[in-house]
Amino acid sequence: MNSGVFMHISADGVRKLGVDLTLLYVGNLRSIKGLLKARKCVKQLSGKYDLIHAQYGSACAVVTAAATGIPKVLSVRGSDWTIRRETNIFPFLHTRLARLMTRIVINQYNAVFPVSNRIASEIKSLYPNCPLTVMPSPINLTHFVPYDKIKARAALGYPDNQEKWVLFTSVKTSNGLKRYALAKDAFDRANARIGNLRMRVATDIPHSDMPLFVAACDLILCTSEKEGWPNSIKEALACNVPFISTDVSDLAEIAKQEEICRICPPDPAIIANNIIDVLSSPDHEPDLRRHVLEMDLSSTSNKIVNTYKQMLENFNAHH
């Protein structure tokens, strides 16, 4: 239900600035046949466009690299770059193959958009001349805004609810990368000690309902093994909801500035201690929204389009 929402949000923002944009789904790329078919399609279509923008690395980047005669942009989002360390054979091989594919073709792109400073730093260390522009996926800051929690809960069907709500977001709780079991263990430990907590799992919720759902919470919990720049955390910060997270993306940069936001090792006891500490802090309205202001749809769309224009000028000047 929520798959690819960020792509459609970003596309709408770019279109509003006058760009004639086509979204092309390149199909299932888990076979050589599918990969070759998609590359042929992209190569044939590329003559009709001014530029092409691959929304992921991995096999998507390999396909998009087939475009000829136009500049190419690549977004690197995390799952196409970071390595999972678990020993289950599929994720072990999948993330390594995805990263390998990204690395094989990254130098064929005229601009690369890593979604976080962390990923940009890693790419830069391997490819010093890679043309990087950090570009987190945008969120709509007119939708995600600070809101009175009591009113938000009443609107969600929980009038006068005085519990502390802890938010966990995942399209599927079975996704091993999100480590839901770790989050649930930490929450249960915290609740056993102080009580009056409620875990709110955001799964299968229409994206249009998410702003109110997020604003009604007191804390968001992220226990992922790897993330590019989690949209769920952006949305929470936009609503002035603090986070407790494992050390992913650029969240440590924010936690250094905000005492109410915490970075923890993947240890349920330590996470539980931090949940209790943050939820027991005196009530105040932190200005966490300031950390995501530049990730607003309007600001990001302008940044993307300006980068497109500059890249086209440079490309045309040399061709």
Side-chain angles (χ1 to χ4, degrees):
M1 186 181 297
N2 292 331
S3 182
V5 167
F6 66 88
M7 240 181 298
H8 295 283
I9 290 172
S10 185
D12 288 343
V14 169
R15 285 193 183 107
K16 286 179 181 177
L17 294 175
V19 175
D20 183 7
L21 182 146
T22 301
L23 286 178
L24 173 67
Y25 173 57
V26 292
N28 189 327
L29 303 178
R30 293 185 176 180
S31 69
I32 298 296
K33 182 180 178 181
L35 199 66
L36 293 175
K37 181 180 178 181
R39 279 180 59 89
K40 182 179 179 181
C41 173
V42 165
K43 187 173 183 178
Q44 290 173 340
L45 285 173
S46 57
K48 301 178 181 180
Y49 293 87
D50 295 302
L51 61 84
I52 188 166
H53 185 167
Q55 293 300 308
Y56 284 95
S58 187
C60 182
V62 172
V63 166
T64 307
T68 57
I70 58 174
K72 298 182 277 285
V73 187
L74 169 64
S75 285
V76 179
R77 301 194 176 277
S79 58
D80 46 8
W81 183 261
T82 54
I83 298 296
R84 291 183 64 180
R85 290 177 171 79
E86 65 177 83
T87 55
N88 289 342
I89 190 66
F90 179 77
F92 181 88
L93 292 176
H94 180 264
T95 58
R96 283 157 177 78
L97 180 59
R99 179 182 168 101
L100 177 61
M101 286 181 169
T102 304
R103 291 184 62 175
I104 286 172
V105 297
I106 197 168
N107 280 328
Q108 297 180 38
Y109 284 83
N110 304 89
V112 177
F113 293 170
V115 297
S116 69
N117 292 324
R118 175 177 285 195
I119 293 175
S121 177
E122 292 175 2
I123 294 175
K124 200 70 174 176
S125 68
L126 293 169
Y127 306 96
N129 297 320
C130 189
L132 300 175
T133 301
V134 177
M135 197 82 70
S137 301
I139 60 170
N140 195 324
L141 290 181
T142 61
H143 293 163
F144 290 91
V145 296
Y147 198 77
D148 183 90
K149 296 189 190 306
I150 298 300
K151 291 180 180 178
R153 293 177 187 185
L156 292 168
Y158 296 86
D160 301 319
N161 183 283
Q162 299 295 322
E163 296 169 311
K164 296 289 188 180
W165 285 16
V166 177
L167 175 64
F168 183 87
T169 301
S170 179
V171 175
K172 293 181 180 180
T173 54
S174 59
N175 183 346
L177 189 64
K178 302 292 184 180
R179 298 194 289 203
Y180 171 71
L182 172 60
K184 185 66 166 61
D185 187 359
F187 172 84
D188 288 343
R189 290 171 185 243
N191 196 32
R193 288 167 56 188
I194 64 172
N196 203 39
L197 306 184
R198 180 186 290 260
M199 191 167 188
R200 304 294 284 149
V201 180
T203 183
D204 292 332
I205 295 175
H207 195 259
S208 59
D209 294 345
M210 282 300 292
L212 202 61
F213 195 87
V214 174
C217 295
D218 297 281
L219 172 70
I220 184 170
L221 188 58
C222 174
T223 49
S224 297
E225 181 185 349
K226 296 287 183 181
E227 290 279 1
W229 218 124
N231 279 353
S232 59
I233 300 294
K234 292 176 199 168
E235 293 164 355
L237 292 171
C239 298
N240 281 336
V241 174
F243 64 77
I244 292 176
S245 177
T246 43
D247 187 11
V248 296
S249 187
D250 297 338
L251 300 189
E253 296 177 11
I254 296 173
K256 288 176 183 176
Q257 303 173 55
E258 304 289 351
E259 197 276 334
I260 201 168
C261 294
R262 308 288 176 84
I263 297 296
C264 301
D267 182 313
I270 296 175
I271 296 172
N273 288 340
N274 279 272
I275 291 174
I276 293 168
D277 191 31
V278 170
L279 293 180
S280 301
S281 300
D283 288 336
H284 67 287
E285 189 74 0
D287 182 18
L288 303 178
R289 186 177 171 86
R290 65 190 178 95
H291 296 288
V292 294
L293 290 179
E294 291 187 358
M295 301 177 193
D296 177 55
L297 177 59
S298 177
S299 299
T300 303
S301 299
N302 275 296
K303 190 176 178 182
I304 290 172
V305 173
N306 287 336
T307 306
Y308 285 169
K309 289 177 179 178
Q310 185 63 52
M311 185 180 59
L312 276 167
E313 288 178 11
N314 294 339
F315 186 85
N316 291 333
H318 292 90
H319 291 79

